[in-house]
Amino acid sequence: MVSNSGPIILGIEGTAWNLSAAIVDENDVIVESTATYKPPVGGIHPREASQHHADHLGPVITKILSDAHDRGLTTSDIDAIAFSQGPGLGPCLRTVATAARALSLSLNVPLIGVNHCIAHIEVGRWKTDAMDPVVLYVSGANSQVLAYRKERYRVFGETLDIGIGNAFDKFARGAGLQHPGGPKIEELARSATSYVPLPYIVKGMDFSFSGLSTAASVALQTSLLEDVCFSLQENAFAMLVEVTERAVAHTGKDEVLLGGGVGANQRLQEMLDIMCNERGIRFHVPERRFMGDNGSMIAYLGLLMYRQNTFISIKESYAMPNYRPDDTPVTWWQG
Ligand code: ATP
Ligand code: FE2
C-alpha cells in the first residue's frame, strides 16, 4: 500500500527507441513498465519506432495501472499525466502525445508537457545527492554540458553535429556490430593493446563527433577493431571531460552529475571521476536504470511541474522535435 498525501503522477516516455511508462510519488517510483524497440537491421527508423510505440502503448499502460492497483492505488489517485513533448523523433513524439491526451481526458486530470533532457537531469538530482551540479548529459541524439543559472538550465557546451551515442552507433554499424553499438564498443575496447591516433574536436565549449566517427571507420582499414574502439572512446570522452571541467571552472560549482544512456559507460565514469577527484569536487552517477530513457524521469519532472501548476492545454500539447532544455523556465528549482 502506497501511503502518501503528495501528488501521484503517471509519465510516458517515447522520444526514440524506448517506450516506457511509470507512476511516481515524491519519494520513489511506484511502478514502471518498458517496451524497447530493437531494429532488425541498421539503426532506428522513426516510423517503425512510432509503430512499435503505438502497438505497445496499450499493454504498457494497462500493466502499470494493474501493478499500481496491486499496490493499493486506483486511477482516481493519479493527479496528472506527464509526457515527453520533445526533443525526439517526430512520429514517436506524436504517438506518445496522443496517448497522453487520451489519458488526461479520460481520467479528467491535467496534462504536463515535459522536456526530455531536463527529465534526465532531474531524475539524477532525485536519485543521487546532487544539488546544483554541472551536468554532462550524453545519449544517442544529445550531448550537452548544462548547469542551472537564473531560472534555466543553461547549455554551456554541446555537440555541433550528432550526439555521441549516435556517433558510436554509426561507427559500430559500419563495423558490422548490432544496434546499439555503445555497449559493444565498450566491451571491445577492454581488449585493446594500442592507441590509434584519431581527431580530437573541441571548438570553444562545443564538441563534434561526426568527423571522429568517420575517421574511426576509416582507421578500421589498417587497425584492429578493438584498438579503434578504445581510441574512439578515449578521444570522445576526453573531449567531454575537458568541456565539463571548463564548465565547472567557469561556474564555480562543486559537483558533476552524469546522465543519459552513454553515461552507463565505465570508462567515461572513470575519466570523470579522476577529473572530479583532482579538483576536489563530488561526482554523481545515478543507478543505471535512471540513465537511459525511462518513464520514471518523465513522471518525476511532471511531479515537480505539477507542484508549480505548469499544465498545458490539448492545443498546446503538440510534439516539439527540437525542444531545447534552455527553452523551459525552471520554476520548481530548490538548490
Ligand atoms: P535521447 O533521446 O536523450 O537522445 P536516446 O533515445 O538516445 O536518448 P538513451 O538511452 O539516453 O536513449 O541512450 C542510448 C544511447 O546510449 C545509444 O546510442 C547507445 O549506444 C548508448 N549507450 C548505451 N550504453 C552504452 C555504453 N555502455 N557505452 C557507450 N554508449 C552506450
Ligand atoms: Fe534520453
Side-chain angles (χ1 to χ4, degrees):
M1 174 76 191
V2 178
S3 64
N4 193 293
S5 52
I8 293 180
I9 310 296
L10 188 158
I12 315 174
E13 157 59 27
T15 52
W17 58 286
N18 226 13
L19 174 71
S20 178
I23 300 175
V24 307
D25 64 20
E26 55 205 357
N27 300 316
D28 215 342
V29 177
I30 300 169
V31 290
E32 184 178 65
S33 174
T34 296
T36 304
Y37 163 70
K38 295 194 187 76
V41 283
I44 298 174
H45 189 294
R47 247 182 310 108
E48 283 169 17
S50 76
Q51 187 56 51
H52 164 273
H53 294 356
D55 291 343
H56 289 83
L57 263 161
V60 161
I61 299 292
T62 306
K63 169 99 174 93
I64 57 165
L65 292 178
S66 138
D67 289 351
H69 191 260
D70 294 343
R71 312 270 317 264
L73 283 181
T74 66
T75 47
S76 60
D77 294 313
I78 294 169
D79 293 298
I81 305 297
F83 70 103
S84 48
Q85 197 167 6
L89 303 172
C92 297
L93 293 172
R94 285 191 285 280
T95 303
V96 166
T98 306
R101 280 179 213 124
L103 275 168
S104 154
L105 288 170
S106 64
L107 299 183
N108 195 25
V109 292
L111 192 56
I112 302 172
V114 162
N115 180 288
H116 174 97
C117 310
I118 298 181
H120 273 290
I121 300 175
E122 292 300 350
V123 80
R125 289 178 67 225
W126 189 35
K127 290 295 171 187
T128 70
D129 296 329
M131 299 287 288
D132 182 10
V134 167
V135 181
L136 175 61
Y137 162 46
V138 275
S139 64
N142 298 290
S143 301
Q144 289 174 328
V145 175
L146 309 108
Y148 178 82
R149 194 167 181 153
K150 292 196 180 147
E151 288 166 16
R152 304 261 162 164
Y153 282 110
R154 312 277 167 182
V155 178
F156 282 80
E158 63 187 320
T159 181
L160 295 169
D161 42 50
I162 55 176
I164 182 171
N166 285 357
F168 280 12
D169 295 341
K170 194 174 87 172
F171 163 78
R173 258 199 319 278
L177 305 169
Q178 227 198 334
H179 187 87
K184 285 158 196 116
I185 292 171
E186 176 171 24
E187 190 55 45
L188 287 161
R190 288 188 217 281
S191 341
T193 53
S194 66
Y195 172 79
V196 181
L198 290 175
Y200 181 98
I201 309 159
V202 172
K203 296 181 183 173
M205 285 293 279
D206 295 325
F207 25 77
S208 145
F209 295 110
S210 187
L212 172 60
S213 168
T214 305
S217 300
V218 172
L220 281 178
Q221 293 167 6
T222 48
S223 305
L224 289 176
L225 175 60
E226 288 81 352
D227 291 346
V228 178
C229 288
F230 168 76
S231 311
L232 173 61
Q233 281 198 163
E234 291 304 297
N235 279 33
F237 295 162
M239 286 154 52
L240 294 171
V241 175
E242 180 194 328
V243 172
T244 306
E245 181 169 19
R246 280 200 277 133
V248 168
H250 177 75
T251 57
K253 297 197 194 268
D254 60 2
E255 43 182 347
V256 168
L257 171 68
L258 180 61
V262 182
N265 189 290
Q266 298 288 313
R267 179 62 181 144
L268 175 58
Q269 292 184 15
E270 183 186 23
M271 288 168 78
L272 285 164
D273 196 43
I274 292 169
M275 182 273 281
C276 290
N277 268 325
E278 283 176 355
R279 297 192 72 95
I281 63 174
R282 281 164 302 140
F283 176 44
H284 306 279
V285 183
E287 220 182 298
R288 199 182 175 124
R289 63 180 280 218
F290 296 117
M291 296 240 258
D293 293 348
N294 62 90
S296 300
M297 70 182 194
I298 304 301
Y300 180 66
L301 177 50
L303 186 144
L304 297 177
M305 293 170 75
Y306 177 86
R307 288 213 198 102
Q308 307 301 321
N309 296 318
T310 314
F311 308 133
I312 52 173
S313 64
I314 297 286
K315 213 174 147 193
E316 294 163 320
S317 66
Y318 46 83
M320 297 167 71
N322 301 314
Y323 191 5
R324 284 182 62 83
D326 42 8
D327 284 342
T328 299
V330 179
T331 51
W332 57 86
W333 179 263
Q334 288 173 333

